[in-house]
Amino acid sequence: MYLVVGLGNPEKKYFNTFHNMGFMVVDRLAEKLNVTFTKGECRAVCAHAKVNGEKVIIAKPVTYMNLSGEAVQELTHKYKIEKGNLIVVYDDIDVNVGKLRIRVNGSAGTHNGMKNIVQMLSTDDFPRVRVGIGQQTPMALVDYVLSQVTDDDHKVLDPVLDQAAQALYDFVNGCDIDHVMQKYNIR
């Protein structure tokens, strides 16, 4: 069983912001798997799929970004998810726009949602997919990540969001995370 978690903020005003890259990627994964987010559970809205006989839960926490760990902790306990079968996708200010970084584990960096997940799970030993949003304008970090993604930004980001969704698909389809990293990490 796999748990794929996209990070973002649930209100409509946040849907097209840089901080909702995780939601955008898992929306694309759900579309690829032909499932919809209809089930509310563990403070997340979830979609359930089967891939090669394995159950896949795709989740978007509704706790807001900085408390994402609460939903992730509840889901991992409810479904008894093994640490290698949880993967989290989120925006990363420290990665350039148009770049994708997949890691087996590691620190949360500057991302508050990931900090909360690491804190709630008491481990940073789980795979993650980081979508680069590298700050391009001189404004406060919170203002930047909550700003609207422009059409020009989408021209750069949409192919990366598609690649991230495909990487998640490969992962839940049984591909080893090292293979996924080699295939999709964009240099």
Side-chain angles (χ1 to χ4, degrees):
M1 182 179 309
Y2 293 95
L3 174 60
V4 179
V5 180
L7 301 188
N9 288 305
E11 284 184 62
K12 188 174 183 175
K13 67 182 177 179
Y14 299 116
F15 282 1
N16 189 45
T17 63
F18 288 102
H19 224 17
N20 270 34
M21 292 293 129
F23 279 9
M24 292 178 197
V25 171
V26 296
D27 284 343
R28 290 168 190 231
L29 175 63
E31 186 176 309
K32 182 179 285 290
L33 295 174
N34 200 28
V35 294
T36 57
F37 290 92
T38 57
K39 186 171 184 181
E41 57 184 314
C42 300
R43 292 189 273 177
V45 60
C46 298
H48 292 249
K50 284 249 186 203
V51 178
N52 283 335
E54 286 282 338
K55 186 170 188 172
V56 177
I57 300 141
I58 308 167
K60 297 191 290 187
V62 295
T63 55
Y64 290 90
M65 182 66 76
N66 294 352
L67 299 176
S68 298
E70 294 176 2
V72 174
Q73 181 186 49
E74 289 177 27
L75 286 163
T76 57
H77 283 105
K78 177 179 180 176
Y79 290 104
K80 298 172 179 52
I81 302 295
E82 297 174 20
K83 69 178 180 179
N85 288 2
L86 162 67
I87 191 164
V88 180
V89 59
Y90 59 100
D91 63 283
D92 195 325
I93 193 79
D94 298 320
V95 176
N96 290 335
V97 172
K99 302 295 181 186
L100 188 63
R101 292 287 182 267
I102 301 170
R103 295 181 61 193
V104 175
N105 57 28
S107 79
T110 59
H111 198 282
N112 289 331
M114 281 298 290
K115 286 179 184 177
N116 188 250
I117 292 171
V118 168
Q119 176 188 4
M120 296 300 292
L121 296 180
S122 299
T123 185
D124 63 4
D125 193 18
F126 55 89
R128 70 276 321 266
V129 176
R130 299 160 41 207
V131 177
I133 63 162
Q135 189 165 349
Q136 304 169 62
T137 58
M139 63 173 65
L141 178 61
V142 67
D143 293 332
Y144 179 71
V145 298
L146 295 178
S147 67
Q148 294 292 308
V149 178
T150 67
D151 288 343
D152 286 341
D153 293 326
H154 271 295
K155 289 176 186 172
V156 174
L157 287 167
D158 283 346
V160 176
L161 297 175
D162 288 339
Q163 288 178 330
Q166 185 62 47
L168 292 173
Y169 178 80
D170 288 358
F171 178 74
V172 301
N173 203 23
C175 285
D176 180 73
I177 189 66
D178 289 325
H179 174 75
V180 174
M181 287 170 41
Q182 289 175 355
K183 185 174 179 182
Y184 293 100
N185 277 344
I186 302 169
R187 297 276 176 222

